[in-house]
Amino acid sequence: MADPKGFLTTGREVAKTRPVGERVKDWNEVYVPGSLLPIISKQAGRCMDCGIPFCHNGCPLGNLIPEWNDYAYREDWTAASERLHATNNFPEFTGRLCPAPCESACVLGINQPAVTIKNVEVSIIDKAWDSGDVTPQPPERLSGKTVAVIGSGPAGLAAAQQLTRAGHTVAVFERADRIGGLLRYGIPEFKMEKSHINRRIEQMRAEGTKFRTEVEIGKDIDAAKLRRRYDAVVIAAGATVSRDLPVPGRELNGVHFAMEYLPLANKVQEGDLTVSPITAEGKHVVVIGGGDTGADCVGTAHRQGALSVTQLEIMPRPGEDRNADQPWPTFPMLYKVTSAHEEGGERVYSVSTTHFEGSAPEEGQTVGNVQALHLVEVEFKDGKLEQKPGTERRIPAQLVTLAMGFTGTDQTNGLVQQFGLELDGRGNVARDADFATNVDGVFVAGDAGRGQSLIVWAIAEGRSAARGVDRFLTGASALPAPIRPTDRSLMV
Ligand SMILES: Cc1cc2nc3c(=O)[nH]c(=O)nc-3n(C[C@H](O)[C@H](O)[C@H](O)COP(=O)(O)OP(=O)(O)OC[C@H]3O[C@@H](n4cnc5c(N)ncnc54)[C@H](O)[C@@H]3O)c2cc1C
Ligand code: SF4
């Protein structure tokens, strides 16, 4: 146990963020660099090393949290990094971006603020990179087997790293121009600077993983050819089809999916564009959807110089404490103030958009520009969402982003049809307990099979699918399998 009295003598302290006025002027991560390390050993010392560590089950990766808390408390950073990597290929991603369901399951959290598990995780891995403890781990022997991974998000990268280290020759195919999936194009720089992806890719290349960008499987290479060339295939293509809002005025200029808007801001940060073609500068911005993607639009709009930012959510505002139906150690739906929300804007709950209003088309335009959004308040009656009469109102909007979730994996590029993949009832690729699809030798991991989820789940699925592939190729596997496809952990 780290410090037997730590939880009695030390209060919870989290990473410090930079002042709002400073950070909205740049795109760097919102945290004060170096602020965690001086406090993190004492924070790790709050861990009670419980006989039954519920945090293990709260984390979809089954991270060995009390073990690395103990090492962090003793400042044995090398050992802490080794325990962390035993279950997680990319702690620098989860340590920055995970909603930390482990902390909701922390036993200390029953009657005190939980251990800052996520902050300890990111401190261990940042220290490991700085000290040179993260090195390539190429396999000792090659198996002679080949694997194609489709998609380079966290699921594809985790599967590829596990399979490469198991001795298989792995190529990752990515339709975008850079590796990383939503980590690269979607999640803004201020939540995670992309240099963290770049150095992992370098490690993976040094281990032997091959990367092929700007290759769309189903279009540039068909499924039959890929299957002839590779002994196994992992589909980690994400759930990239955005949910639409088919109300009058949807066709107006200035109404965009969040995933049309956010990647352009990423491309500016990558140096590909000087200014985003879809910018919030000088505009009243409305973000439809109250989740994390919506929050990313809010933070991006502020940095681009929006006049105002309003985020709309159809559901009622969640409570600040656990409801009786979401008891410890489940991951509760709570009112969250993300770093983007600290930076300004208004959040409006229990409203539904009825239509968009636009200007007349200008010369050369087929449709006009969005000018306003009309909404109405809604409430649940007998389990059904109903509009409240007399509550209609209009808010100015020259840029609207739709961040209402995703409906499943992309079926427009032939991937699903060419492989002959069966889908489940929710439009995701169906799979068995080994993450195998209905097609022999073809596996699926991450959002493509699970539906839009979290990075931690994508990594866990990538690791588990790698074990399924390894067993398929060699008849047995020493690779770990953190989860089965049906696992919901503690309901994240
Ligand atoms: C804006 C946004 C913010 C988010 N923020 C968070 C967060 O803070 N924390 C968190 O835990 N989760 C977050 N998520 C969710 C998280 O990013 C996803 O759950 C995770 O990235 C899924 O990983 P994946 O590898 O399954 O798929 P993805 O990351 O979606 O990667 C799939 C990749 O496959 C590629 N691809 C698709 N089809 C083909 C093809 N035919 N050929 C070649 N390549 C193909 C795509 O281009 C993409 O790069 C966020 C999601 C969004 C949209
Ligand atoms: S990956 Fe997420 S759930 Fe797991 S220990 Fe880290 S912060 Fe917690």
Side-chain angles (χ1 to χ4, degrees):
M1 181 172 179
D3 175 3
K5 291 193 178 159
F7 66 98
L8 296 171
T9 55
T10 307
R12 177 178 159 112
E13 207 178 328
V14 293
K16 288 189 180 51
T17 47
R18 294 186 290 133
V20 167
E22 174 192 314
R23 68 191 200 225
V24 291
K25 294 198 190 101
D26 64 45
W27 294 81
N28 300 337
E29 285 176 10
V30 297
Y31 297 105
V32 178
S35 68
L36 261 180
L37 211 54
I39 60 163
I40 209 64
S41 294
K42 279 198 94 173
Q43 287 300 310
R46 295 182 71 234
C47 177
M48 301 189 294
D49 191 17
C50 307
I52 297 175
F54 282 79
C55 52
H56 278 196
N57 199 37
C59 172
L61 283 160
N63 273 350
L64 306 169
I65 297 160
E67 291 184 38
W68 39 259
N69 274 337
D70 186 38
Y71 286 122
Y73 172 68
R74 294 170 206 288
E75 301 194 13
D76 185 346
W77 300 107
T78 303
S81 165
E82 187 277 314
R83 294 321 284 148
L84 186 51
H85 280 105
T87 54
N88 188 353
N89 298 64
F90 313 121
E92 64 274 34
F93 304 160
T94 45
R96 287 179 168 77
L97 297 166
C98 187
C102 54
E103 293 185 16
S104 303
C106 172
V107 175
L108 194 55
I110 295 174
N111 63 355
Q112 276 198 50
V115 174
T116 58
I117 298 169
K118 177 176 160 175
N119 281 182
V120 178
E121 181 173 24
V122 81
S123 304
I124 295 170
I125 183 59
D126 284 356
K127 183 87 181 144
W129 278 108
D130 289 349
S131 331
D133 281 341
V134 186
T135 52
Q137 294 173 34
E140 281 173 15
R141 270 177 296 141
L142 289 179
S143 67
K145 303 284 184 189
T146 55
V147 184
V149 175
I150 305 173
S152 68
L157 292 179
Q161 187 166 60
Q162 293 294 95
L163 288 164
T164 302
R165 288 177 175 178
H168 307 305
T169 302
V170 181
V172 178
F173 292 89
E174 170 55 58
R175 67 182 172 191
D177 58 352
R178 288 189 178 85
I179 296 299
L182 290 172
L183 299 168
R184 173 81 62 184
Y185 290 132
I187 290 169
E189 194 85 4
F190 57 81
K191 268 172 56 178
M192 187 180 77
E193 290 168 15
K194 306 309 167 194
S195 52
H196 299 296
I197 312 174
N198 298 343
R199 62 184 176 185
R200 264 304 164 187
I201 304 305
E202 284 317 305
Q203 182 204 32
M204 290 180 67
R205 279 192 217 279
E207 289 170 354
T209 307
K210 307 270 182 279
F211 292 97
R212 309 258 185 276
T213 51
E214 297 185 276
V215 180
E216 185 161 8
I217 304 301
K219 273 191 181 156
D220 302 316
I221 299 179
D222 68 32
K225 189 168 171 197
L226 201 73
R227 288 192 67 203
R228 276 197 304 277
R229 169 73 184 78
Y230 292 90
D231 298 312
V233 176
V234 180
I235 296 176
T240 53
V241 183
S242 303
R243 181 168 287 114
D244 208 347
L245 183 64
V247 297
R250 165 65 181 91
E251 71 289 353
L252 289 164
N253 291 319
V255 182
H256 298 279
F257 287 122
M259 284 306 292
E260 292 167 343
Y261 172 62
L262 293 171
L264 289 170
N266 295 130
K267 282 194 158 283
V268 174
Q269 296 314 307
E270 294 281 2
D272 298 346
L273 301 168
T274 18
V275 182
S276 172
I278 308 176
T279 177
E281 188 176 1
K283 294 176 184 163
H284 293 290
V285 178
V286 179
V287 177
I288 304 182
D292 285 341
T293 306
D296 291 349
C297 293
V298 171
T300 300
H302 279 131
R303 280 163 183 73
Q304 290 177 338
L307 285 181
S308 71
V309 186
T310 309
Q311 189 178 11
L312 308 181
E313 170 57 49
I314 199 164
M315 301 301 287
R317 183 184 145 146
E320 293 186 23
D321 297 311
R322 285 181 186 272
N323 280 339
D325 61 350
Q326 298 179 335
W328 179 91
T330 60
F331 185 62
M333 280 287 293
L334 296 181
Y335 179 71
K336 269 200 312 189
V337 181
T338 68
S339 70
H341 295 122
E342 288 168 4
E343 293 162 5
E346 189 190 358
R347 287 197 270 179
V348 184
Y349 289 89
S350 298
V351 291
S352 173
T353 304
T354 57
H355 62 283
F356 301 109
E357 179 190 318
S359 59
E362 291 163 17
E363 207 178 306
Q365 281 187 326
T366 47
V367 290
N369 302 326
V370 68
Q371 295 296 330
L373 176 151
H374 290 252
L375 56 78
V376 63
E377 290 176 22
V378 291
E379 61 185 343
F380 276 102
K381 271 194 181 159
D382 302 325
K384 281 202 334 216
L385 210 55
E386 289 187 7
Q387 298 188 352
K388 284 167 101 177
T391 60
E392 297 82 4
R393 65 179 198 269
R394 172 188 187 275
I395 49 176
Q398 288 92 43
L399 173 65
V400 176
T401 64
L402 308 178
M404 301 174 305
F406 298 82
T407 58
T409 205
D410 190 353
Q411 293 185 49
T412 60
N413 54 15
L415 187 81
V416 170
Q417 296 79 2
Q418 288 177 18
F419 278 106
L421 297 171
E422 278 173 12
L423 301 181
D424 64 18
R426 297 186 308 148
N428 305 315
V429 180
R431 66 269 182 91
D432 69 11
D434 266 345
F435 291 78
T437 68
N438 59 307
V439 184
D440 197 37
V442 179
F443 294 74
V444 63
D447 284 5
R450 186 179 188 83
Q452 174 67 201
S453 183
L454 295 173
I455 291 155
V456 62
W457 276 112
I459 299 173
E461 291 216 352
R463 289 171 66 85
S464 294
R467 179 184 160 92
V469 173
D470 195 29
R471 272 160 49 115
F472 169 79
L473 293 174
T474 65
S477 181
L479 292 175
I483 49 161
R484 294 162 67 86
T486 47
D487 280 357
R488 289 275 147 189
S489 190
L490 290 163
M491 300 190 323
V492 188

